Amino acid sequence: MDFESYNPEPTLVVPEHITKRAKFPFIDVHNHQFRMGTMDLDSLIMEMEKLNMQVMVNLSGRGGEELVKMVENINTNEPKRFIVFTNINFNGVGEKDWAEKAVKQLETDIKNGANGLKIYKSLGMISKDIHGNRIPVDDTRLDAIWKKAGELKIPVLIHTADPKPFWDEMDEKNERWLELATRPGRKRGPDDPVPFEKLIEEQHNMFKAHPGTTFINAHFGWYPNDLKYLGSLLDKMPNMMIEFGAIIAELGRQPRTAYDFFVKYQDRILFGKDSWVPDEYVTYFRVLETKDEYFPYHKKYHAFWAMYGMGLPDDILKKIYYKNALRIIPGIDATLFPE
Ligand SMILES: [Zn+2]
């Protein structure tokens, strides 16, 4: 038997509160629906209803004509239940009028119904300018975009870098060994493309240079495993919000530290999930809402450890589930949510 197949059944008997539906209606600020222009929204709504997801934020709006089609489909069939963020194409950075065109496109997309901007991790990792050089996240040639987002009062949800262990030695000490073993393409290194710390530093530089723009740092900014440090970042950058897409396993292994963090930063945290697998939401609800102990996580390559619930009080749950998103993201109907 090898490590991957070792999967003993726990003999522990403790109370269980399997939470298939959130206690309050919620807004998922980190979702991807790439074919929203043509897809059947009613079947999507049926899945959302089961979870008590009142509003889904689709971060893959693409911009231009694609975005127009998505907004049309939403407005015709399911207005109020979907919000779309647009995206930016970084091809052509280095051309004299690139920023001007990108800003114009952003304005048009917002006019056409987008309510935010999503930046993929390709910025900083893959995107290159016309000279073939990597575009750093804090590249000043992009400044006009962040500034415009602030003027338009729309948030920028940004994913930068990847979990730190992807940069570390892939050995018996690496917590993401299984993920790297099964998905070797995710391995990074100091020159691939640059060190983890460099990407993170660039992102923070960019946040600090644009205090008038609200940024939602995806995946807890990749510091869900060091909440003290993440808290210090939130203290330093009041324009930074965070969401916990794909990192609930980190919170579920430190329920007491995470509880204190959620109490202290209750106005700065948004609900995000990322990959659309409805059955996986139960882990999120259970970690947030219950005080359950030693329950399983759904993806072994994220976490080979068991989960514990934080048991957050209702007033904090409401902020995480919808109040903070209502404050940050324009265009959501607040009457869909309780006081
Ligand atoms: Zn995502």
Side-chain angles (χ1 to χ4, degrees), residues 30-32 34 59-60 118 120 157 159 218-219 243 273-275:
H30 193 150
N31 203 289
H32 297 282
F34 296 94
L59 299 179
S60 299
K118 156 74 195 282
Y120 290 97
L157 191 148
H159 172 172
H219 314 299
E243 62 85 17
K273 162 75 172 69
D274 202 355
S275 60

PDB file of all heavy atoms in Angstrom, residues 30-32 34 59-60 118 120 157 159 218-219 243 273-275, ligand 1:
ATOM      1  N   HIS A  30     -16.643  34.155  -6.044  1.00  0.00           N
ATOM      2  CA  HIS A  30     -15.581  33.565  -6.880  1.00  0.00           C
ATOM      3  C   HIS A  30     -16.105  32.321  -7.589  1.00  0.00           C
ATOM      4  O   HIS A  30     -15.962  31.200  -7.109  1.00  0.00           O
ATOM      5  CB  HIS A  30     -14.356  33.229  -6.028  1.00  0.00           C
ATOM      6  CG  HIS A  30     -13.132  32.906  -6.840  1.00  0.00           C
ATOM      7  ND1 HIS A  30     -11.853  33.151  -6.396  1.00  0.00           N
ATOM      8  CD2 HIS A  30     -12.981  32.382  -8.083  1.00  0.00           C
ATOM      9  CE1 HIS A  30     -10.985  32.777  -7.318  1.00  0.00           C
ATOM     10  NE2 HIS A  30     -11.641  32.293  -8.347  1.00  0.00           N
ATOM     11  N   ASN A  31     -16.748  32.545  -8.718  1.00  0.00           N
ATOM     12  CA  ASN A  31     -17.272  31.434  -9.510  1.00  0.00           C
ATOM     13  C   ASN A  31     -16.887  31.655 -10.965  1.00  0.00           C
ATOM     14  O   ASN A  31     -16.625  32.785 -11.375  1.00  0.00           O
ATOM     15  CB  ASN A  31     -18.800  31.366  -9.359  1.00  0.00           C
ATOM     16  CG  ASN A  31     -19.344  29.983  -9.654  1.00  0.00           C
ATOM     17  OD1 ASN A  31     -19.353  29.550 -10.800  1.00  0.00           O
ATOM     18  ND2 ASN A  31     -19.801  29.290  -8.629  1.00  0.00           N
ATOM     19  N   HIS A  32     -16.818  30.572 -11.711  1.00  0.00           N
ATOM     20  CA  HIS A  32     -16.488  30.664 -13.142  1.00  0.00           C
ATOM     21  C   HIS A  32     -17.531  29.925 -13.962  1.00  0.00           C
ATOM     22  O   HIS A  32     -17.728  28.725 -13.780  1.00  0.00           O
ATOM     23  CB  HIS A  32     -15.112  30.064 -13.418  1.00  0.00           C
ATOM     24  CG  HIS A  32     -13.999  30.791 -12.731  1.00  0.00           C
ATOM     25  ND1 HIS A  32     -13.500  31.986 -13.193  1.00  0.00           N
ATOM     26  CD2 HIS A  32     -13.313  30.514 -11.599  1.00  0.00           C
ATOM     27  CE1 HIS A  32     -12.538  32.396 -12.377  1.00  0.00           C
ATOM     28  NE2 HIS A  32     -12.406  31.522 -11.398  1.00  0.00           N
ATOM     29  N   PHE A  34     -17.989  29.816 -17.875  1.00  0.00           N
ATOM     30  CA  PHE A  34     -17.393  30.339 -19.111  1.00  0.00           C
ATOM     31  C   PHE A  34     -18.405  30.473 -20.248  1.00  0.00           C
ATOM     32  O   PHE A  34     -18.214  31.250 -21.155  1.00  0.00           O
ATOM     33  CB  PHE A  34     -16.217  29.441 -19.540  1.00  0.00           C
ATOM     34  CG  PHE A  34     -15.093  29.450 -18.541  1.00  0.00           C
ATOM     35  CD1 PHE A  34     -15.007  28.480 -17.549  1.00  0.00           C
ATOM     36  CD2 PHE A  34     -14.132  30.458 -18.571  1.00  0.00           C
ATOM     37  CE1 PHE A  34     -13.983  28.509 -16.616  1.00  0.00           C
ATOM     38  CE2 PHE A  34     -13.099  30.485 -17.644  1.00  0.00           C
ATOM     39  CZ  PHE A  34     -13.030  29.507 -16.660  1.00  0.00           C
ATOM     40  N   LEU A  59     -16.873  35.301 -12.575  1.00  0.00           N
ATOM     41  CA  LEU A  59     -15.674  36.121 -12.811  1.00  0.00           C
ATOM     42  C   LEU A  59     -15.172  36.021 -14.250  1.00  0.00           C
ATOM     43  O   LEU A  59     -14.257  36.724 -14.638  1.00  0.00           O
ATOM     44  CB  LEU A  59     -14.554  35.685 -11.857  1.00  0.00           C
ATOM     45  CG  LEU A  59     -14.849  35.836 -10.356  1.00  0.00           C
ATOM     46  CD1 LEU A  59     -13.667  35.335  -9.540  1.00  0.00           C
ATOM     47  CD2 LEU A  59     -15.161  37.285  -9.996  1.00  0.00           C
ATOM     48  N   SER A  60     -15.778  35.128 -15.032  1.00  0.00           N
ATOM     49  CA  SER A  60     -15.287  34.904 -16.394  1.00  0.00           C
ATOM     50  C   SER A  60     -16.157  35.598 -17.430  1.00  0.00           C
ATOM     51  O   SER A  60     -16.687  34.967 -18.349  1.00  0.00           O
ATOM     52  CB  SER A  60     -15.225  33.400 -16.682  1.00  0.00           C
ATOM     53  OG  SER A  60     -14.336  32.784 -15.785  1.00  0.00           O
ATOM     54  N   LYS A 118     -12.047  40.999 -13.016  1.00  0.00           N
ATOM     55  CA  LYS A 118     -11.276  39.872 -12.479  1.00  0.00           C
ATOM     56  C   LYS A 118      -9.963  39.754 -13.231  1.00  0.00           C
ATOM     57  O   LYS A 118      -9.945  39.732 -14.463  1.00  0.00           O
ATOM     58  CB  LYS A 118     -12.071  38.570 -12.635  1.00  0.00           C
ATOM     59  CG  LYS A 118     -11.238  37.287 -12.656  1.00  0.00           C
ATOM     60  CD  LYS A 118     -10.699  36.904 -11.277  1.00  0.00           C
ATOM     61  CE  LYS A 118      -9.595  35.876 -11.286  1.00  0.00           C
ATOM     62  NZ  LYS A 118      -9.917  34.504 -11.478  1.00  0.00           N
ATOM     63  N   TYR A 120      -6.744  37.309 -13.751  1.00  0.00           N
ATOM     64  CA  TYR A 120      -6.276  35.931 -13.564  1.00  0.00           C
ATOM     65  C   TYR A 120      -4.802  35.906 -13.147  1.00  0.00           C
ATOM     66  O   TYR A 120      -4.067  36.873 -13.357  1.00  0.00           O
ATOM     67  CB  TYR A 120      -6.437  35.134 -14.859  1.00  0.00           C
ATOM     68  CG  TYR A 120      -7.870  34.831 -15.227  1.00  0.00           C
ATOM     69  CD1 TYR A 120      -8.557  35.621 -16.143  1.00  0.00           C
ATOM     70  CD2 TYR A 120      -8.540  33.752 -14.658  1.00  0.00           C
ATOM     71  CE1 TYR A 120      -9.874  35.336 -16.486  1.00  0.00           C
ATOM     72  CE2 TYR A 120      -9.855  33.459 -14.999  1.00  0.00           C
ATOM     73  CZ  TYR A 120     -10.515  34.249 -15.918  1.00  0.00           C
ATOM     74  OH  TYR A 120     -11.814  33.967 -16.254  1.00  0.00           O
ATOM     75  N   LEU A 157     -11.108  41.817  -8.428  1.00  0.00           N
ATOM     76  CA  LEU A 157     -10.755  40.553  -7.781  1.00  0.00           C
ATOM     77  C   LEU A 157      -9.535  40.004  -8.504  1.00  0.00           C
ATOM     78  O   LEU A 157      -9.550  39.833  -9.726  1.00  0.00           O
ATOM     79  CB  LEU A 157     -11.912  39.563  -7.833  1.00  0.00           C
ATOM     80  CG  LEU A 157     -11.740  38.312  -6.958  1.00  0.00           C
ATOM     81  CD1 LEU A 157     -13.093  37.812  -6.445  1.00  0.00           C
ATOM     82  CD2 LEU A 157     -11.002  37.189  -7.656  1.00  0.00           C
ATOM     83  N   HIS A 159      -6.223  37.234  -8.584  1.00  0.00           N
ATOM     84  CA  HIS A 159      -5.518  36.025  -8.147  1.00  0.00           C
ATOM     85  C   HIS A 159      -4.076  36.171  -8.619  1.00  0.00           C
ATOM     86  O   HIS A 159      -3.825  36.305  -9.806  1.00  0.00           O
ATOM     87  CB  HIS A 159      -6.198  34.802  -8.790  1.00  0.00           C
ATOM     88  CG  HIS A 159      -5.479  33.506  -8.596  1.00  0.00           C
ATOM     89  ND1 HIS A 159      -6.026  32.300  -8.963  1.00  0.00           N
ATOM     90  CD2 HIS A 159      -4.257  33.212  -8.097  1.00  0.00           C
ATOM     91  CE1 HIS A 159      -5.177  31.320  -8.684  1.00  0.00           C
ATOM     92  NE2 HIS A 159      -4.089  31.852  -8.178  1.00  0.00           N
ATOM     93  N   ALA A 218      -7.836  37.079  -3.993  1.00  0.00           N
ATOM     94  CA  ALA A 218      -8.379  35.722  -4.060  1.00  0.00           C
ATOM     95  C   ALA A 218      -7.550  34.761  -3.204  1.00  0.00           C
ATOM     96  O   ALA A 218      -6.350  34.973  -2.988  1.00  0.00           O
ATOM     97  CB  ALA A 218      -8.403  35.240  -5.512  1.00  0.00           C
ATOM     98  N   HIS A 219      -8.215  33.716  -2.725  1.00  0.00           N
ATOM     99  CA  HIS A 219      -7.546  32.631  -2.004  1.00  0.00           C
ATOM    100  C   HIS A 219      -6.789  33.131  -0.765  1.00  0.00           C
ATOM    101  O   HIS A 219      -5.708  32.640  -0.446  1.00  0.00           O
ATOM    102  CB  HIS A 219      -6.592  31.865  -2.936  1.00  0.00           C
ATOM    103  CG  HIS A 219      -7.184  31.528  -4.271  1.00  0.00           C
ATOM    104  ND1 HIS A 219      -8.302  30.739  -4.416  1.00  0.00           N
ATOM    105  CD2 HIS A 219      -6.848  31.907  -5.542  1.00  0.00           C
ATOM    106  CE1 HIS A 219      -8.613  30.623  -5.708  1.00  0.00           C
ATOM    107  NE2 HIS A 219      -7.761  31.344  -6.405  1.00  0.00           N
ATOM    108  N   GLU A 243     -10.981  36.700  -0.009  1.00  0.00           N
ATOM    109  CA  GLU A 243     -11.996  35.651  -0.101  1.00  0.00           C
ATOM    110  C   GLU A 243     -11.297  34.293  -0.010  1.00  0.00           C
ATOM    111  O   GLU A 243     -10.132  34.176  -0.332  1.00  0.00           O
ATOM    112  CB  GLU A 243     -12.824  35.799  -1.390  1.00  0.00           C
ATOM    113  CG  GLU A 243     -12.040  35.661  -2.697  1.00  0.00           C
ATOM    114  CD  GLU A 243     -11.872  34.240  -3.168  1.00  0.00           C
ATOM    115  OE1 GLU A 243     -12.602  33.360  -2.703  1.00  0.00           O
ATOM    116  OE2 GLU A 243     -10.980  34.007  -4.003  1.00  0.00           O
ATOM    117  N   LYS A 273     -15.600  30.394  -3.578  1.00  0.00           N
ATOM    118  CA  LYS A 273     -15.365  28.947  -3.643  1.00  0.00           C
ATOM    119  C   LYS A 273     -14.432  28.579  -4.801  1.00  0.00           C
ATOM    120  O   LYS A 273     -13.626  27.671  -4.702  1.00  0.00           O
ATOM    121  CB  LYS A 273     -16.736  28.248  -3.773  1.00  0.00           C
ATOM    122  CG  LYS A 273     -16.713  26.821  -4.265  1.00  0.00           C
ATOM    123  CD  LYS A 273     -16.251  25.866  -3.191  1.00  0.00           C
ATOM    124  CE  LYS A 273     -16.415  24.418  -3.639  1.00  0.00           C
ATOM    125  NZ  LYS A 273     -15.481  24.039  -4.723  1.00  0.00           N
ATOM    126  N   ASP A 274     -14.568  29.240  -5.929  1.00  0.00           N
ATOM    127  CA  ASP A 274     -13.786  28.996  -7.158  1.00  0.00           C
ATOM    128  C   ASP A 274     -14.408  27.880  -7.983  1.00  0.00           C
ATOM    129  O   ASP A 274     -15.362  28.143  -8.702  1.00  0.00           O
ATOM    130  CB  ASP A 274     -12.313  28.745  -6.856  1.00  0.00           C
ATOM    131  CG  ASP A 274     -11.425  29.037  -8.070  1.00  0.00           C
ATOM    132  OD1 ASP A 274     -11.992  29.334  -9.149  1.00  0.00           O
ATOM    133  OD2 ASP A 274     -10.190  28.984  -7.963  1.00  0.00           O
ATOM    134  N   SER A 275     -13.936  26.657  -7.904  1.00  0.00           N
ATOM    135  CA  SER A 275     -14.433  25.633  -8.835  1.00  0.00           C
ATOM    136  C   SER A 275     -15.901  25.305  -8.525  1.00  0.00           C
ATOM    137  O   SER A 275     -16.294  25.176  -7.365  1.00  0.00           O
ATOM    138  CB  SER A 275     -13.574  24.375  -8.748  1.00  0.00           C
ATOM    139  OG  SER A 275     -13.604  23.863  -7.446  1.00  0.00           O
TER     140      SER A 275
HETATM  141 ZN    ZN B   1     -10.822  31.429  -9.956  1.00  0.00          ZN
END
